[in-house]
């Protein structure tokens, strides 16, 4: 699949697929169709990215995090959230088949975890899942100038400037929240904050091509 430039992404044909149970019975989810890959603008990593096992779990996970300082990026993420909220409202009985656990429609907005997270400690932040194998991040990371394959476990430090290729994976609905899960397909290291940003063709094309 060839990734699409951020400013040429069209959401007119995007929709939700069939609702299915999540692994472990923790909730329900529905994939976005058709699948798309989007190249985000280079943004700064606000803290070191590493794989961790949470709450005593032996299985590690990791998420890429970038500061959202680009208005076009913010607008796209908000639009995908809007598609997700509309799908949740339309298919709420499928996402919550147990009527006893089904929230009232007017409560969904307050339960929605937006793609952009606001915090007083950091700039607005966007997060997306990274592939992890045995507590090691395995999502490919390339140097944007040399195309050299780098170690994401060592290079994703605070202040790194990265270009993410992401995909909206699915809408999820659980008793404690709803939202969109994003995944990272591949990454490019542009350098570090304040440094010149080199570029190369990251497998990008317009949807019109």
């Amino acid at each position: 699949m060839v990734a699409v430039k951020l400013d040429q992404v069209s959401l007119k044909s995007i929709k939700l697929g069939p609702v299915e149970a999540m692994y472990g019975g923790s909730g329900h989810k529905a994939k976005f169709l058709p699948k798309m890959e989007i190249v985000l603008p280079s943004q700064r990593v606000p803290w070191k990215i590493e794989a961790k096992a949470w709450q005593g779990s032996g299985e590690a996970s990791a998420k890429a995090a970038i500061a959202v300082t680009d208005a076009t990026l913010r607008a796209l993420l908000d639009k995908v959230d809007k598609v997700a909220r509309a799908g949740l409202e339309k298919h709420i009985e499928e996402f919550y088949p147990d009527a006893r656990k089904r929230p009232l429609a007017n409560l969904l907005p307050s339960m929605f975890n937006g793609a952009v997270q606001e915090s007083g400690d950091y700039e607005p932040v966007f997060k997306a899942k990274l592939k992890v194998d045995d507590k090691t991040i395995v999502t490919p990371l390339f140097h944007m100038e040399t195309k050299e394959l780098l170690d994401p476990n060592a290079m994703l430090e605070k202040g790194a400037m990265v270009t993410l290729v992401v995909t909206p994976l699915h809408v999820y609905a659980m008793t404690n929240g709803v939202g969109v899960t994003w995944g990272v397909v591949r990454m490019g290291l542009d350098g570090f904050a304040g440094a010149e940003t080199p570029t190369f063709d990251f497998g990008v094309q317009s949807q019109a091509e």
Side-chain angles (χ1 to χ4, degrees), residues 3-6 9 11 36-40 76 80 164-168 182 185:
V4 179
K5 294 179 181 178
L6 178 64
V9 173
L11 300 180
M36 65 171 63
E37 295 181 0
I38 306 167
V39 183
L40 304 187
L76 173 73
V80 175
L164 302 182
V165 178
V166 300
T167 181
W182 289 79
V185 180

Side-chain angles (χ1 to χ4, degrees), residues 64-80:
I66 55 173
V68 180
T69 60
D70 182 274
T72 305
L73 170 58
R74 178 66 181 259
L76 173 73
L77 297 173
D78 288 345
K79 287 178 181 178
V80 175

Side-chain angles (χ1 to χ4, degrees), residues 114-130:
V116 180
Q117 300 178 8
E118 307 280 356
S119 169
D121 298 326
Y122 299 97
E123 295 173 288
V125 169
F126 165 72
K127 297 179 182 179
K129 289 180 63 175
L130 294 165

Side-chain angles (χ1 to χ4, degrees), residues 50-54 59-63 129-130 132 135 137:
E50 56 188 339
K52 295 180 179 180
W54 298 97
E59 185 174 349
S61 62
K63 288 186 177 181
K129 289 180 63 175
L130 294 165
V132 174
K135 299 182 181 180
I137 298 171

Side-chain angles (χ1 to χ4, degrees), residues 33-112:
L33 300 174
K35 183 178 179 180
M36 65 171 63
E37 295 181 0
I38 306 167
V39 183
L40 304 187
S42 178
Q43 300 282 270
R44 182 177 55 81
V45 174
W47 51 73
K48 179 176 175 58
I49 306 300
E50 56 188 339
K52 295 180 179 180
W54 298 97
Q55 298 178 347
S57 171
E59 185 174 349
S61 62
K63 288 186 177 181
I66 55 173
V68 180
T69 60
D70 182 274
T72 305
L73 170 58
R74 178 66 181 259
L76 173 73
L77 297 173
D78 288 345
K79 287 178 181 178
V80 175
D81 281 351
K82 185 176 180 180
V83 172
R85 287 195 298 269
L88 282 162
E89 291 173 2
K90 183 177 181 180
H91 302 286
I92 190 169
E93 293 184 0
E94 296 174 58
F95 279 104
Y96 292 96
D98 187 342
R100 296 170 299 176
K101 298 180 180 180
R102 187 179 305 147
L104 297 174
N106 63 347
L107 294 180
L108 279 177
S110 64
M111 295 175 60
F112 195 87

Side-chain angles (χ1 to χ4, degrees), residues 159-179:
M161 297 297 295
V162 296
T163 297
L164 302 182
V165 178
V166 300
T167 181
L169 295 172
H170 57 255
V171 177
Y172 67 86
M174 305 169 67
T175 56
N176 60 347
V178 297

